[in-house]
């Protein structure tokens, strides 16, 4: 008895803009890019782990860009791609979660400085924005991971 399974498990071309897990590519670009921009625009006052946050935001932005273009060009039609999709987004969730926690901690430390000058207040506000954007990016990657895992299970 022949199996009638479809090899076309993952969407290609413009169909990635209409499928549930892949529609999160664009918000991941936006919020990941905002984290990158906001962290790049702050001033490092003392040695702190903002380098890790910058690495995560750049790594996930570039990785999501490559992933998006592979999906857009249709290079994702092998049977291994659904599993790789879940793995990539899970790694992005773990990275962004760690970066978000570190960024929130550094922001709390900067808030404890008494008598913030106007320059320090500007940096503090940029860091608060980066914390919010990194938590939103973490949530987007998490939701994308869940839906990608559901799609992988069905394939």
């Amino acid at each position: 008895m022949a199996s009638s399974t479809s090899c076309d498990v993952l969407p290609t071309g413009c169909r990635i803009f209409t499928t549930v897990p892949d529609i999160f590519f664009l918000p991941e670009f936006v919020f990941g890019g905002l984290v990158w921009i906001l962290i790049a625009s702050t001033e490092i006052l003392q040695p702190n782990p903002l380098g890790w946050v910058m690495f995560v935001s750049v790594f996930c932005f570039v990785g999501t860009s490559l992933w998006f273009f592979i999906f857009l060009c249709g290079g994702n039609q092998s049977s291994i791609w659904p599993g790789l999709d879940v793995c990539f987004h899970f790694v992005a969730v773990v990275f962004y979660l760690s970066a978000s926690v570190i960024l929130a901690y550094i922001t709390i430390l900067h808030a404890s400085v008494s008598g913030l000058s106007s320059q320090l207040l500007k940096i503090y506000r940029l860091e608060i924005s980066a914390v919010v954007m990194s938590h939103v990016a973490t949530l987007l990657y998490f939701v994308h991971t869940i839906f990608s895992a559901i799609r992988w299970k069905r394939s």
Side-chain angles (χ1 to χ4, degrees):
M1 180 186 274
S3 171
S4 63
T5 59
S6 172
C7 184
D8 191 24
V9 179
L10 298 174
T12 59
C14 290
R15 289 188 326 178
I16 63 174
F17 297 112
T18 60
T19 58
V20 172
D22 303 315
I23 203 163
F24 290 107
F25 277 129
L26 295 178
E28 289 167 0
F29 281 136
V30 171
F31 288 101
L34 284 172
V35 172
W36 182 6
I37 291 167
L38 290 168
I39 293 301
S41 65
T42 63
E43 182 179 326
I44 297 177
L45 302 174
Q46 67 229 2
N48 62 33
L50 287 181
W52 172 249
V53 177
M54 193 66 166
F55 168 77
V56 168
S57 61
V58 171
F59 171 80
C60 289
F61 189 83
V62 170
T64 302
S65 299
L66 290 173
W67 212 252
F68 177 75
F69 287 119
I70 288 171
F71 273 52
L72 194 62
C73 294
N76 60 346
Q77 294 306 305
S78 174
S79 63
I80 196 165
W81 280 96
L84 288 175
D85 190 32
V86 174
C87 289
F88 170 73
H89 286 94
F90 179 74
V91 167
V93 167
V94 171
F95 277 13
Y96 254 116
L97 185 60
S98 67
S100 297
V101 169
I102 289 170
L103 187 57
Y105 177 72
I106 293 300
T107 304
I108 289 170
L109 287 180
H110 286 166
S112 65
V113 175
S114 60
L116 290 173
S117 67
S118 65
Q119 181 64 21
L120 291 177
L121 186 61
K122 178 183 174 187
I123 292 170
Y124 177 66
R125 288 178 179 160
L126 287 172
E127 287 177 351
I128 288 174
S129 301
V131 168
V132 171
M133 297 304 158
S134 68
H135 280 88
V136 170
T138 304
L139 179 65
L140 288 169
Y141 277 107
F142 180 73
V143 171
H144 196 148
T145 303
I146 295 299
F147 284 119
S148 294
I150 291 169
R151 179 171 57 193
W152 181 35
K153 184 81 170 162
R154 280 187 304 196
S155 65

